[in-house]
Amino acid sequence: MREPDMQKVDALVGRLIGDVGAAVSGALVVLGDDLGLFKAMADGKPRNSSEVSKETGIKERYLREWLSALAAADYLTYDEKTDRFHLTPEQAMVFAEEDSPAFFAGAFQVVQAMWMDEPKVADAFRTGTGVGWHEHSACLFRGTERFFRTGYNNNLVADWIPALQGVEARLKAGARVADVGCGHGASTILMAQAYPASKFFGFDYHAPSIERAKAAAKEAGVADRVTFQQAPAAGFPEGNYDLIAMFDCLHDMGDPVGAGKHVKESLSADGTWLVVEPFAHDCLKDNLNPVGRVYYGASTMICTPASLSQEVGLGLGAQAGETKLRKVALDAGFKHFRRATETPFNMVFEVRA
């Protein structure tokens, strides 16, 4: 046995205590989100466990432990003098306000799915067969929509579409738009709300997600200009689209080149393919940071198994980087590939024939 440096062991154990605490707190965030506890405390009013119990109908003894645990995580704030808990404006924005620019509860639902589906992924590691998106627990679908919607709310209409050459003007005048891999339709609906003169078509191979998207479009009042349909990325109906968008899904596809070829066939002569992917540098060493940690983890448990479960199984992964994504576009027959803009979490590419 190699002789360890005990100071380094102590440092590692210290980090692991924090990581285990974060994992435990994540489960408590999902619990509080499911029970509506964060929303009940969103106004910032200090409450003890009995008061929260009266307002929510949840048993006090459970609440006492939950409140204490989240205060220890600094996800809630505890006032020792009054023995009460409250959400600061910042905590409320992150945990209670669904449409805030920093809402994070959905991310913990994605992590929940990773834990729940670990046996399936372990089997895929042994066999190489992959795990299809549809094979995951339902919390993944809802969590993904809630997590990514925050970024779309902040950036899609305000920054990403204006960064594309001539696209915003076409959308305002009236264009045909396909949102491929639309999931629950958050991105599709957001664009439909912003550009009422245009028609939008959302496609996803996952039937339950399409049904949820249809319901969401009705709730948002845009069902008259949004059509959702179950269809694969390489087989959605051609329609001479002015814009075809893929948000955070190209790397999940088994055959992204084949999907790209179908996009090329389905675009108008001067149409644009908008590709939004998780932010990543081309070199592994440059992705060894907190954002890369999250994305590599999600790629291991969700994205790569999804790709490997399909035909071709290219397995780009959620940290593919610009060079690999450019190659996909060029192999699909496109000539122009440009990084239009970026955020700390996303890269936005404009692709043209």
Side-chain angles (χ1 to χ4, degrees):
M1 179 177 177
R2 294 175 297 159
E3 188 68 27
D5 182 328
M6 292 311 297
Q7 287 187 329
K8 292 182 179 179
V9 170
D10 289 343
L12 177 58
V13 169
R15 294 202 307 273
L16 289 172
I17 290 172
D19 288 350
V20 172
V24 170
S25 297
L28 297 176
V29 168
V30 171
L31 177 64
D33 184 59
D34 284 346
L35 296 174
L37 300 178
F38 291 114
K39 287 182 171 59
M41 300 180 69
D43 59 8
K45 174 184 173 183
R47 298 166 169 87
N48 59 31
S49 55
S50 296
E51 291 166 334
V52 178
S53 177
K54 290 178 182 177
E55 293 180 20
T56 63
I58 303 299
K59 298 301 180 182
E60 185 274 337
R61 183 64 188 91
Y62 283 108
L63 284 170
R64 199 187 324 161
E65 222 66 12
W66 182 84
L67 290 164
S68 299
L70 288 196
D74 200 25
Y75 291 177
L76 288 173
T77 300
Y78 174 66
D79 186 338
E80 181 183 7
K81 294 180 180 179
T82 63
D83 193 29
R84 282 175 166 79
F85 305 83
H86 71 277
L87 284 171
T88 66
E90 297 77 21
Q91 290 165 339
M93 177 177 284
V94 169
F95 295 118
E97 297 170 10
E98 192 93 18
D99 293 323
S100 86
F103 183 70
F104 228 77
F108 290 98
Q109 288 180 297
V110 175
V111 176
Q112 179 187 21
M114 295 186 201
W115 282 102
M116 293 175 67
D117 299 334
E118 181 274 335
K120 297 178 182 178
V121 177
D123 186 61
F125 265 56
R126 297 184 186 100
T127 64
T129 55
V131 180
W133 179 263
H134 61 283
E135 297 179 88
H136 282 279
S137 300
C139 54
L140 174 62
F141 316 136
R142 179 64 173 142
T144 298
E145 186 262 337
R146 297 173 84 201
F147 173 66
F148 283 106
R149 188 177 62 201
T150 298
Y152 302 156
N153 285 344
N154 289 338
N155 300 295
L156 176 53
V157 173
D159 300 310
W160 295 349
I161 288 177
L164 307 176
Q165 297 176 4
V167 170
E168 186 175 42
R170 295 182 74 169
L171 291 174
K172 289 179 177 179
R176 289 175 57 83
V177 180
D179 188 356
V180 180
C182 66
H184 286 191
S187 51
T188 327
I189 291 167
L190 186 60
M191 290 188 290
Q193 291 172 324
Y195 306 107
S198 293
K199 293 289 186 180
F200 297 86
F201 304 85
F203 303 107
D204 200 289
Y205 95 96
H206 187 237
S209 290
I210 287 296
E211 292 307 309
R212 172 57 195 149
K214 290 178 180 178
K218 290 182 180 179
E219 294 167 8
V222 296
D224 60 324
R225 54 185 182 274
V226 177
T227 300
F228 288 107
Q229 180 179 338
Q230 182 182 7
F236 63 89
E238 297 181 17
N240 199 38
Y241 301 105
D242 301 293
L243 175 68
I244 296 178
M246 291 185 180
F247 296 100
D248 296 292
C249 64
L250 183 65
H251 65 273
D252 294 309
M253 297 176 188
D255 184 11
V257 174
K261 290 179 179 179
H262 187 62
V263 167
K264 190 171 183 293
E265 295 169 354
S266 304
L267 279 171
S268 61
D270 57 349
T272 300
W273 182 17
L274 167 61
V275 177
V276 178
E277 281 286 293
F279 186 92
H281 299 283
D282 287 328
C283 296
L284 170 61
K285 66 179 180 62
D286 297 323
N287 295 324
L288 302 182
N289 53 56
V291 173
R293 181 187 189 187
V294 172
Y295 281 147
Y296 275 124
S299 187
T300 301
M301 299 297 291
I302 301 168
C303 310
T304 301
S307 178
L308 296 181
S309 73
Q310 304 168 51
E311 292 184 3
V312 180
L314 187 61
L316 276 177
Q319 293 286 269
E322 181 172 345
T323 297
K324 290 181 180 178
L325 295 170
R326 180 187 300 273
K327 185 176 187 305
V328 166
L330 297 180
D331 288 348
F334 289 91
K335 296 181 179 178
H336 303 283
F337 182 95
R338 178 179 74 92
R339 187 186 298 213
T341 187
E342 63 187 47
T343 74
F345 301 102
N346 290 100
M347 303 180 292
V348 180
F349 300 104
E350 177 185 86
V351 187
R352 296 179 185 270

